[in-house]
Amino acid sequence: MTAPVVDCVLDARARVGEGAIWSQALDRLIWVDIPAGEIHRFDPATGQDVVTSLGRPVGCVAETTRGTVIAALTDGFFEIDLDSGAESFVAGPAPGRLDHRFNDGTTDPAGRFIAGTMPLAGPSDDDTSGAVHVLENGQSRPLMDGFHVINGMAISPDGRTYYASDSYAPVRSIWAWDYDVTDGAISNRRLFFDTRAVAGRPDGATMDAEGCYWMAGVGGWQLYRITPRGAVDMTIDMPVERPTRIAFGGTDLGTLFVTSIRVEDDAAQPRSGGVFALTIPGIKGVPASRAP
Protein backbone atom coordinates (compact mmCIF):
# COMPACT_ATOMS: atom_id res chain seq x y z
CA MET A 1 0.00 0.00 0.00
CA THR A 2 1.23 3.47 -0.89
CA ALA A 3 1.61 5.53 2.26
CA PRO A 4 -1.40 7.86 2.63
CA VAL A 5 -0.93 11.61 2.64
CA VAL A 6 -1.52 12.98 6.14
CA ASP A 7 -2.60 16.63 6.13
CA CYS A 8 -2.89 19.03 9.04
CA VAL A 9 -6.41 20.33 8.43
CA LEU A 10 -6.51 22.46 11.59
CA ASP A 11 -3.38 23.89 13.23
CA ALA A 12 -5.17 24.08 16.56
CA ARG A 13 -2.15 23.97 18.90
CA ALA A 14 -4.35 22.11 21.36
CA ARG A 15 -2.80 21.24 24.71
CA VAL A 16 -4.43 17.79 24.66
CA GLY A 17 -6.63 17.35 21.61
CA GLU A 18 -8.90 14.36 22.18
CA GLY A 19 -12.43 12.92 22.07
CA ALA A 20 -13.03 13.22 18.32
CA ILE A 21 -16.42 12.05 17.00
CA TRP A 22 -18.06 12.77 13.65
CA SER A 23 -21.50 14.39 13.71
CA GLN A 24 -23.46 13.28 10.66
CA ALA A 25 -26.23 15.71 11.61
CA LEU A 26 -23.86 18.70 11.54
CA ASP A 27 -21.23 17.46 9.07
CA ARG A 28 -18.68 18.52 11.65
CA LEU A 29 -15.90 16.92 13.64
CA ILE A 30 -16.59 17.41 17.35
CA TRP A 31 -13.44 17.21 19.45
CA VAL A 32 -12.15 18.46 22.79
CA ASP A 33 -9.06 20.03 24.34
CA ILE A 34 -9.10 18.30 27.72
CA PRO A 35 -7.19 20.67 30.07
CA ALA A 36 -8.43 23.78 28.25
CA GLY A 37 -12.02 22.68 28.92
CA GLU A 38 -13.06 23.29 25.32
CA ILE A 39 -15.44 21.54 22.93
CA HIS A 40 -14.67 22.26 19.26
CA ARG A 41 -16.81 21.91 16.16
CA PHE A 42 -14.64 21.73 13.05
CA ASP A 43 -16.00 22.07 9.52
CA PRO A 44 -13.55 20.43 7.08
CA ALA A 45 -15.27 22.08 4.12
CA THR A 46 -14.54 25.62 5.29
CA GLY A 47 -11.80 25.18 7.90
CA GLN A 48 -13.95 26.93 10.50
CA ASP A 49 -13.52 25.75 14.08
CA VAL A 50 -16.08 26.95 16.64
CA VAL A 51 -15.17 26.67 20.32
CA THR A 52 -17.41 26.28 23.39
CA SER A 53 -15.50 26.88 26.64
CA LEU A 54 -16.65 25.03 29.76
CA GLY A 55 -14.25 26.30 32.41
CA ARG A 56 -13.05 22.90 33.62
CA PRO A 57 -11.50 19.81 32.00
CA VAL A 58 -13.64 17.83 29.57
CA GLY A 59 -12.60 14.27 28.79
CA CYS A 60 -15.00 13.21 26.05
CA VAL A 61 -18.43 13.89 24.60
CA ALA A 62 -21.35 12.03 23.06
CA GLU A 63 -23.80 13.55 20.63
CA THR A 64 -27.50 13.33 21.50
CA THR A 65 -30.57 12.91 19.31
CA ARG A 66 -31.61 16.44 20.38
CA GLY A 67 -28.68 18.19 18.74
CA THR A 68 -26.82 18.72 22.01
CA VAL A 69 -23.87 16.84 23.49
CA ILE A 70 -23.31 15.06 26.77
CA ALA A 71 -19.95 16.15 28.16
CA ALA A 72 -18.00 14.09 30.68
CA LEU A 73 -16.58 16.70 33.08
CA THR A 74 -14.75 16.66 36.38
CA ASP A 75 -18.05 17.21 38.20
CA GLY A 76 -20.21 14.76 36.30
CA PHE A 77 -22.12 14.31 33.07
CA PHE A 78 -23.65 17.51 31.70
CA GLU A 79 -25.82 18.15 28.66
CA ILE A 80 -24.42 21.10 26.70
CA ASP A 81 -26.09 23.27 24.08
CA LEU A 82 -23.05 24.13 21.96
CA ASP A 83 -24.72 27.17 20.39
CA SER A 84 -25.67 28.89 23.63
CA GLY A 85 -23.21 27.23 26.00
CA ALA A 86 -26.07 26.36 28.38
CA GLU A 87 -25.34 23.44 30.71
CA SER A 88 -27.72 21.03 32.39
CA PHE A 89 -26.50 18.54 34.99
CA VAL A 90 -27.43 14.95 34.11
CA ALA A 91 -25.72 12.67 36.61
CA GLY A 92 -22.65 12.36 38.81
CA PRO A 93 -20.45 9.40 37.90
CA ALA A 94 -18.67 9.08 41.26
CA PRO A 95 -19.82 11.30 44.14
CA GLY A 96 -16.88 12.64 46.13
CA ARG A 97 -14.31 11.78 43.47
CA LEU A 98 -13.52 15.31 42.31
CA ASP A 99 -9.84 14.32 42.33
CA HIS A 100 -10.55 12.51 39.05
CA ARG A 101 -11.41 13.57 35.53
CA PHE A 102 -12.82 11.75 32.54
CA ASN A 103 -10.36 10.71 29.86
CA ASP A 104 -12.08 8.66 27.15
CA GLY A 105 -15.48 7.35 26.16
CA THR A 106 -17.72 5.84 23.52
CA THR A 107 -21.39 5.11 22.85
CA ASP A 108 -22.93 1.71 22.29
CA PRO A 109 -25.61 0.89 19.67
CA ALA A 110 -28.34 1.49 22.27
CA GLY A 111 -27.05 5.02 22.96
CA ARG A 112 -25.41 4.34 26.32
CA PHE A 113 -22.48 6.69 26.99
CA ILE A 114 -19.58 4.68 28.42
CA ALA A 115 -16.79 6.85 29.85
CA GLY A 116 -13.76 6.31 32.05
CA THR A 117 -11.92 8.37 34.64
CA MET A 118 -8.31 8.84 35.74
CA PRO A 119 -6.66 10.76 38.61
CA LEU A 120 -6.32 14.50 38.01
CA ALA A 121 -2.77 14.31 39.35
CA GLY A 122 -1.84 11.76 36.70
CA PRO A 123 -1.05 8.06 36.83
CA SER A 124 1.20 6.32 39.32
CA ASP A 125 2.22 2.74 40.04
CA ASP A 126 0.05 2.31 43.11
CA ASP A 127 -3.09 4.15 41.94
CA THR A 128 -5.53 2.03 39.94
CA SER A 129 -8.59 4.09 40.88
CA GLY A 130 -9.53 4.86 37.28
CA ALA A 131 -13.05 3.58 36.66
CA VAL A 132 -15.57 3.16 33.86
CA HIS A 133 -19.10 4.54 34.21
CA VAL A 134 -22.19 4.07 32.07
CA LEU A 135 -24.73 6.84 31.53
CA GLU A 136 -28.14 5.37 30.68
CA ASN A 137 -31.61 6.91 30.98
CA GLY A 138 -30.21 9.86 32.91
CA GLN A 139 -28.54 7.64 35.51
CA SER A 140 -24.86 6.83 35.98
CA ARG A 141 -23.68 3.42 37.15
CA PRO A 142 -20.19 1.94 37.61
CA LEU A 143 -19.11 -0.71 35.13
CA MET A 144 -15.60 -1.59 36.34
CA ASP A 145 -12.46 -0.12 37.88
CA GLY A 146 -8.77 -0.90 38.32
CA PHE A 147 -7.17 1.35 35.68
CA HIS A 148 -4.27 3.80 35.70
CA VAL A 149 -5.21 5.67 32.49
CA ILE A 150 -8.37 4.33 30.87
CA ASN A 151 -8.41 4.78 27.12
CA GLY A 152 -9.21 3.24 23.75
CA MET A 153 -12.90 2.53 24.26
CA ALA A 154 -14.80 1.23 21.25
CA ILE A 155 -17.65 -1.11 20.37
CA SER A 156 -17.46 -3.50 17.43
CA PRO A 157 -19.85 -2.77 14.54
CA ASP A 158 -21.99 -5.79 15.44
CA GLY A 159 -22.28 -4.54 19.04
CA ARG A 160 -20.91 -7.78 20.48
CA THR A 161 -17.40 -6.76 21.59
CA TYR A 162 -16.29 -3.93 23.87
CA TYR A 163 -12.68 -2.71 23.84
CA ALA A 164 -10.71 -0.59 26.31
CA SER A 165 -7.06 0.00 27.10
CA ASP A 166 -4.75 1.34 29.79
CA SER A 167 -2.20 3.83 28.44
CA TYR A 168 0.04 3.74 31.51
CA ALA A 169 3.55 2.91 30.29
CA PRO A 170 4.10 -0.23 32.44
CA VAL A 171 0.71 -1.61 31.30
CA ARG A 172 0.06 -0.38 27.72
CA SER A 173 -2.46 -3.13 26.93
CA ILE A 174 -5.79 -3.34 25.10
CA TRP A 175 -8.48 -5.77 26.29
CA ALA A 176 -11.69 -7.09 24.77
CA TRP A 177 -14.90 -8.16 26.50
CA ASP A 178 -18.05 -9.86 25.29
CA TYR A 179 -20.75 -7.18 25.22
CA ASP A 180 -24.50 -7.57 25.69
CA VAL A 181 -26.17 -4.56 24.11
CA THR A 182 -29.54 -5.44 25.68
CA ASP A 183 -28.34 -4.51 29.18
CA GLY A 184 -24.83 -3.13 28.70
CA ALA A 185 -23.18 -6.01 30.57
CA ILE A 186 -19.62 -7.12 29.89
CA SER A 187 -17.97 -10.51 30.43
CA ASN A 188 -15.03 -12.69 29.40
CA ARG A 189 -12.23 -10.14 29.66
CA ARG A 190 -9.17 -11.14 27.62
CA LEU A 191 -6.01 -9.50 26.28
CA PHE A 192 -6.65 -8.21 22.78
CA PHE A 193 -3.29 -6.59 21.98
CA ASP A 194 -0.08 -5.91 23.90
CA THR A 195 1.25 -2.65 22.49
CA ARG A 196 4.82 -3.48 23.44
CA ALA A 197 4.81 -4.99 19.95
CA VAL A 198 4.64 -1.50 18.40
CA ALA A 199 6.20 1.91 19.01
CA GLY A 200 3.17 3.72 20.45
CA ARG A 201 1.21 3.24 23.64
CA PRO A 202 -2.58 2.83 23.30
CA ASP A 203 -4.59 6.03 23.19
CA GLY A 204 -7.96 6.81 21.62
CA ALA A 205 -9.53 4.36 19.21
CA THR A 206 -12.30 3.77 16.72
CA MET A 207 -13.69 0.92 14.62
CA ASP A 208 -13.93 0.60 10.86
CA ALA A 209 -16.73 -1.07 8.91
CA GLU A 210 -14.75 -4.31 8.63
CA GLY A 211 -14.58 -4.67 12.41
CA CYS A 212 -10.95 -3.64 12.73
CA TYR A 213 -9.78 -1.59 15.71
CA TRP A 214 -7.85 1.61 15.00
CA MET A 215 -5.43 2.71 17.73
CA ALA A 216 -3.67 6.05 18.06
CA GLY A 217 -0.13 5.20 19.13
CA VAL A 218 0.72 8.02 21.53
CA GLY A 219 4.45 8.53 21.84
CA GLY A 220 5.08 6.43 18.76
CA TRP A 221 4.36 8.75 15.80
CA GLN A 222 1.95 6.14 14.38
CA LEU A 223 -1.59 4.81 13.97
CA TYR A 224 -2.34 1.08 13.88
CA ARG A 225 -5.15 -0.98 12.38
CA ILE A 226 -5.66 -4.17 14.39
CA THR A 227 -7.79 -7.02 13.06
CA PRO A 228 -10.44 -8.76 15.22
CA ARG A 229 -7.84 -11.50 15.80
CA GLY A 230 -5.44 -9.02 17.39
CA ALA A 231 -2.94 -8.68 14.54
CA VAL A 232 -1.62 -5.37 13.18
CA ASP A 233 -2.30 -5.29 9.46
CA MET A 234 -1.66 -1.59 8.81
CA THR A 235 0.70 1.01 10.29
CA ILE A 236 0.37 4.69 9.40
CA ASP A 237 3.24 7.08 10.11
CA MET A 238 2.14 10.44 11.53
CA PRO A 239 3.87 13.85 11.48
CA VAL A 240 3.38 14.15 15.26
CA GLU A 241 4.71 12.07 18.14
CA ARG A 242 1.50 12.02 20.16
CA PRO A 243 -1.63 11.24 18.13
CA THR A 244 -4.49 10.78 20.55
CA ARG A 245 -7.85 9.90 19.02
CA ILE A 246 -9.18 8.74 15.66
CA ALA A 247 -12.61 9.31 14.14
CA PHE A 248 -13.94 8.38 10.72
CA GLY A 249 -15.84 11.26 9.16
CA GLY A 250 -16.93 13.01 6.01
CA THR A 251 -20.05 12.34 4.00
CA ASP A 252 -19.00 8.75 3.25
CA LEU A 253 -17.16 8.17 6.57
CA GLY A 254 -14.03 7.62 4.49
CA THR A 255 -11.76 10.22 6.10
CA LEU A 256 -9.75 9.48 9.24
CA PHE A 257 -9.45 12.52 11.48
CA VAL A 258 -6.77 12.42 14.18
CA THR A 259 -6.31 14.74 17.16
CA SER A 260 -2.97 15.22 18.91
CA ILE A 261 -1.07 16.65 21.88
CA ARG A 262 1.01 19.81 21.58
CA VAL A 263 4.76 19.37 22.07
CA GLU A 264 6.54 22.67 22.66
CA ASP A 265 9.72 23.76 20.89
CA ASP A 266 10.14 20.72 18.66
CA ALA A 267 11.01 21.66 15.10
CA ALA A 268 10.31 18.09 13.97
CA GLN A 269 6.59 18.47 14.71
CA PRO A 270 5.53 22.10 14.28
CA ARG A 271 1.86 21.12 13.87
CA SER A 272 1.63 19.11 17.09
CA GLY A 273 -1.66 19.78 18.83
CA GLY A 274 -3.33 19.96 15.42
CA VAL A 275 -6.09 17.94 13.79
CA PHE A 276 -4.96 15.74 10.91
CA ALA A 277 -6.81 13.95 8.12
CA LEU A 278 -6.05 11.10 5.73
CA THR A 279 -7.90 8.67 3.50
CA ILE A 280 -7.18 5.02 2.72
CA PRO A 281 -8.92 3.52 -0.33
CA GLY A 282 -11.57 0.98 0.65
CA ILE A 283 -11.51 1.80 4.38
CA LYS A 284 -14.58 3.43 5.90
CA GLY A 285 -15.97 3.91 9.38
CA VAL A 286 -19.33 3.28 10.98
CA PRO A 287 -21.72 5.98 12.23
CA ALA A 288 -21.33 6.97 15.88
CA SER A 289 -24.38 6.15 17.98
CA ARG A 290 -26.15 9.06 19.64
CA ALA A 291 -27.41 9.22 23.20
CA PRO A 292 -31.20 9.58 23.56
Side-chain angles (χ1 to χ4, degrees), residues 14-16 32-40 52-58:
R15 292 165 62 187
V16 182
V32 307
D33 187 339
I34 291 177
E38 297 174 347
I39 302 176
H40 294 246
T52 301
S53 296
L54 303 176
R56 68 269 202 211
V58 52

Side-chain angles (χ1 to χ4, degrees), residues 109 155-161 179-181:
I155 305 283
S156 62
D158 64 8
R160 298 175 62 182
T161 307
Y179 192 75
D180 187 342
V181 75

Side-chain angles (χ1 to χ4, degrees), residues 9-11 41-50:
V9 292
L10 179 65
D11 189 9
R41 285 172 290 170
F42 172 63
D43 181 357
T46 65
Q48 182 183 38
D49 186 58
V50 178

Side-chain angles (χ1 to χ4, degrees), residues 160-178:
R160 298 175 62 182
T161 307
Y162 165 74
Y163 299 93
S165 66
D166 194 323
S167 297
Y168 191 46
V171 181
R172 55 180 306 172
S173 296
I174 307 171
W175 298 275
W177 290 257
D178 294 339

Side-chain angles (χ1 to χ4, degrees), residues 4 23 42 45 56 79 82 92 108 146 158 176 212 240 253 255 273 283 288:
S23 168
F42 172 63
R56 68 269 202 211
E79 186 168 0
L82 294 178
D108 78 359
D158 64 8
C212 291
V240 288
L253 297 179
T255 299
I283 304 295

